[in-house]
PDB file of all heavy atoms in Angstrom:
ATOM      1  N   THR A  78     -21.325  11.590  16.576  1.00 97.00           N
ATOM      2  CA  THR A  78     -21.106  10.251  16.357  1.00 97.00           C
ATOM      3  C   THR A  78     -21.993   9.774  15.160  1.00 97.00           C
ATOM      4  O   THR A  78     -23.171  10.151  15.154  1.00 97.00           O
ATOM      5  CB  THR A  78     -21.327   9.387  17.539  1.00 97.00           C
ATOM      6  OG1 THR A  78     -20.386   9.741  18.701  1.00 97.00           O
ATOM      7  CG2 THR A  78     -21.092   7.928  17.340  1.00 97.00           C
ATOM      8  N   VAL A  79     -21.462   8.829  14.386  1.00 98.00           N
ATOM      9  CA  VAL A  79     -22.241   8.172  13.331  1.00 98.00           C
ATOM     10  C   VAL A  79     -22.119   6.697  13.596  1.00 98.00           C
ATOM     11  O   VAL A  79     -21.059   6.103  14.043  1.00 98.00           O
ATOM     12  CB  VAL A  79     -21.610   8.634  11.996  1.00 98.00           C
ATOM     13  CG1 VAL A  79     -22.415   7.914  10.914  1.00 98.00           C
ATOM     14  CG2 VAL A  79     -21.657  10.060  11.779  1.00 98.00           C
ATOM     15  N   TYR A  80     -23.197   6.004  13.224  1.00 98.00           N
ATOM     16  CA  TYR A  80     -23.275   4.578  13.508  1.00 98.00           C
ATOM     17  C   TYR A  80     -23.566   3.813  12.183  1.00 98.00           C
ATOM     18  O   TYR A  80     -24.070   4.332  11.310  1.00 98.00           O
ATOM     19  CB  TYR A  80     -24.446   4.192  14.665  1.00 98.00           C
ATOM     20  CG  TYR A  80     -24.314   4.939  15.737  1.00 98.00           C
ATOM     21  CD1 TYR A  80     -24.978   6.198  16.034  1.00 98.00           C
ATOM     22  CD2 TYR A  80     -23.446   4.515  16.775  1.00 98.00           C
ATOM     23  CE1 TYR A  80     -24.969   6.918  17.084  1.00 98.00           C
ATOM     24  CE2 TYR A  80     -23.300   5.214  17.918  1.00 98.00           C
ATOM     25  CZ  TYR A  80     -24.069   6.361  18.106  1.00 98.00           C
ATOM     26  OH  TYR A  80     -23.917   7.077  19.345  1.00 98.00           O
ATOM     27  N   LEU A  81     -23.044   2.602  12.123  1.00 98.00           N
ATOM     28  CA  LEU A  81     -23.396   1.652  11.142  1.00 98.00           C
ATOM     29  C   LEU A  81     -23.796   0.319  11.820  1.00 98.00           C
ATOM     30  O   LEU A  81     -23.057  -0.425  12.340  1.00 98.00           O
ATOM     31  CB  LEU A  81     -22.155   1.377  10.262  1.00 98.00           C
ATOM     32  CG  LEU A  81     -22.329   0.390   9.072  1.00 98.00           C
ATOM     33  CD1 LEU A  81     -23.332   0.831   8.137  1.00 98.00           C
ATOM     34  CD2 LEU A  81     -21.034   0.101   8.477  1.00 98.00           C
ATOM     35  N   GLN A  82     -25.159   0.102  11.666  1.00 98.00           N
ATOM     36  CA  GLN A  82     -25.676  -1.113  12.224  1.00 98.00           C
ATOM     37  C   GLN A  82     -25.695  -2.167  11.044  1.00 98.00           C
ATOM     38  O   GLN A  82     -26.163  -1.920   9.951  1.00 98.00           O
ATOM     39  CB  GLN A  82     -27.088  -0.969  12.664  1.00 98.00           C
ATOM     40  CG  GLN A  82     -27.770  -2.227  13.068  1.00 98.00           C
ATOM     41  CD  GLN A  82     -27.237  -2.786  14.423  1.00 98.00           C
ATOM     42  OE1 GLN A  82     -26.996  -2.017  15.354  1.00 98.00           O
ATOM     43  NE2 GLN A  82     -27.069  -4.117  14.437  1.00 98.00           N
ATOM     44  N   MET A  83     -24.933  -3.233  11.315  1.00 98.00           N
ATOM     45  CA  MET A  83     -24.845  -4.276  10.258  1.00 98.00           C
ATOM     46  C   MET A  83     -25.522  -5.607  10.719  1.00 98.00           C
ATOM     47  O   MET A  83     -25.084  -6.196  11.784  1.00 98.00           O
ATOM     48  CB  MET A  83     -23.264  -4.599   9.911  1.00 98.00           C
ATOM     49  CG  MET A  83     -22.624  -3.264   9.642  1.00 98.00           C
ATOM     50  SD  MET A  83     -20.873  -3.637   9.151  1.00 98.00           S
ATOM     51  CE  MET A  83     -20.244  -4.168  10.710  1.00 98.00           C
ATOM     52  N   ASN A  84     -26.458  -6.036   9.950  1.00 98.00           N
ATOM     53  CA  ASN A  84     -27.129  -7.289  10.390  1.00 98.00           C
ATOM     54  C   ASN A  84     -27.055  -8.352   9.235  1.00 98.00           C
ATOM     55  O   ASN A  84     -26.599  -7.985   8.102  1.00 98.00           O
ATOM     56  CB  ASN A  84     -28.704  -7.071  10.380  1.00 98.00           C
ATOM     57  CG  ASN A  84     -29.048  -6.059  11.563  1.00 98.00           C
ATOM     58  OD1 ASN A  84     -28.381  -5.969  12.600  1.00 98.00           O
ATOM     59  ND2 ASN A  84     -30.020  -5.295  11.436  1.00 98.00           N
ATOM     60  N   SER A  85     -27.045  -9.629   9.631  1.00 98.00           N
ATOM     61  CA  SER A  85     -27.010 -10.635   8.699  1.00 98.00           C
ATOM     62  C   SER A  85     -25.604 -10.668   8.005  1.00 98.00           C
ATOM     63  O   SER A  85     -25.510 -10.619   6.799  1.00 98.00           O
ATOM     64  CB  SER A  85     -28.064 -10.726   7.681  1.00 98.00           C
ATOM     65  OG  SER A  85     -29.351 -10.758   8.321  1.00 98.00           O
ATOM     66  N   LEU A  86     -24.571 -10.497   8.698  1.00 98.00           N
ATOM     67  CA  LEU A  86     -23.265 -10.264   8.008  1.00 98.00           C
ATOM     68  C   LEU A  86     -22.810 -11.630   7.275  1.00 98.00           C
ATOM     69  O   LEU A  86     -23.149 -12.630   7.685  1.00 98.00           O
ATOM     70  CB  LEU A  86     -22.238  -9.988   9.168  1.00 98.00           C
ATOM     71  CG  LEU A  86     -22.256  -8.517   9.606  1.00 98.00           C
ATOM     72  CD1 LEU A  86     -21.567  -8.311  10.899  1.00 98.00           C
ATOM     73  CD2 LEU A  86     -21.623  -7.685   8.515  1.00 98.00           C
ATOM     74  N   LYS A  87     -21.954 -11.418   6.229  1.00 98.00           N
ATOM     75  CA  LYS A  87     -21.587 -12.507   5.464  1.00 98.00           C
ATOM     76  C   LYS A  87     -20.072 -12.572   5.544  1.00 98.00           C
ATOM     77  O   LYS A  87     -19.425 -11.539   5.591  1.00 98.00           O
ATOM     78  CB  LYS A  87     -22.051 -12.313   4.028  1.00 98.00           C
ATOM     79  CG  LYS A  87     -23.549 -11.985   3.788  1.00 98.00           C
ATOM     80  CD  LYS A  87     -24.004 -11.635   2.422  1.00 98.00           C
ATOM     81  CE  LYS A  87     -25.383 -11.412   2.238  1.00 98.00           C
ATOM     82  NZ  LYS A  87     -25.829 -10.950   0.863  1.00 98.00           N
ATOM     83  N   PRO A  88     -19.444 -13.675   5.229  1.00 98.00           N
ATOM     84  CA  PRO A  88     -18.065 -13.856   5.311  1.00 98.00           C
ATOM     85  C   PRO A  88     -17.419 -12.906   4.325  1.00 98.00           C
ATOM     86  O   PRO A  88     -16.332 -12.376   4.636  1.00 98.00           O
ATOM     87  CB  PRO A  88     -17.893 -15.326   4.923  1.00 98.00           C
ATOM     88  CG  PRO A  88     -19.103 -16.041   5.423  1.00 98.00           C
ATOM     89  CD  PRO A  88     -20.171 -15.049   5.147  1.00 98.00           C
ATOM     90  N   GLU A  89     -17.954 -12.699   3.227  1.00 97.00           N
ATOM     91  CA  GLU A  89     -17.363 -11.844   2.179  1.00 97.00           C
ATOM     92  C   GLU A  89     -17.354 -10.362   2.513  1.00 97.00           C
ATOM     93  O   GLU A  89     -16.739  -9.509   1.819  1.00 97.00           O
ATOM     94  CB  GLU A  89     -17.959 -11.947   0.794  1.00 97.00           C
ATOM     95  CG  GLU A  89     -19.548 -11.821   0.808  1.00 97.00           C
ATOM     96  CD  GLU A  89     -20.341 -13.012   0.963  1.00 97.00           C
ATOM     97  OE1 GLU A  89     -19.891 -13.869   1.762  1.00 97.00           O
ATOM     98  OE2 GLU A  89     -21.418 -13.054   0.355  1.00 97.00           O
ATOM     99  N   GLU A  90     -18.021 -10.004   3.689  1.00 98.00           N
ATOM    100  CA  GLU A  90     -18.003  -8.638   4.129  1.00 98.00           C
ATOM    101  C   GLU A  90     -16.787  -8.444   5.170  1.00 98.00           C
ATOM    102  O   GLU A  90     -16.834  -7.383   5.787  1.00 98.00           O
ATOM    103  CB  GLU A  90     -19.316  -8.254   4.766  1.00 98.00           C
ATOM    104  CG  GLU A  90     -20.355  -8.322   3.648  1.00 98.00           C
ATOM    105  CD  GLU A  90     -21.834  -8.029   4.108  1.00 98.00           C
ATOM    106  OE1 GLU A  90     -22.189  -8.634   5.102  1.00 98.00           O
ATOM    107  OE2 GLU A  90     -22.471  -7.187   3.414  1.00 98.00           O
ATOM    108  N   THR A  91     -15.995  -9.424   5.357  1.00 98.00           N
ATOM    109  CA  THR A  91     -14.764  -9.280   6.061  1.00 98.00           C
ATOM    110  C   THR A  91     -13.972  -8.215   5.573  1.00 98.00           C
ATOM    111  O   THR A  91     -13.623  -8.232   4.381  1.00 98.00           O
ATOM    112  CB  THR A  91     -13.971 -10.583   6.262  1.00 98.00           C
ATOM    113  OG1 THR A  91     -14.729 -11.463   6.941  1.00 98.00           O
ATOM    114  CG2 THR A  91     -12.614 -10.335   6.809  1.00 98.00           C
TER     115      THR A  91
END
Side-chain angles (χ1 to χ4, degrees):
T78 300
V79 181
Y80 305 97
L81 177 65
Q82 176 67 44
M83 306 185 293
N84 299 329
S85 302
L86 281 161
K87 304 174 182 179
E89 55 265 37
E90 294 178 313
T91 293

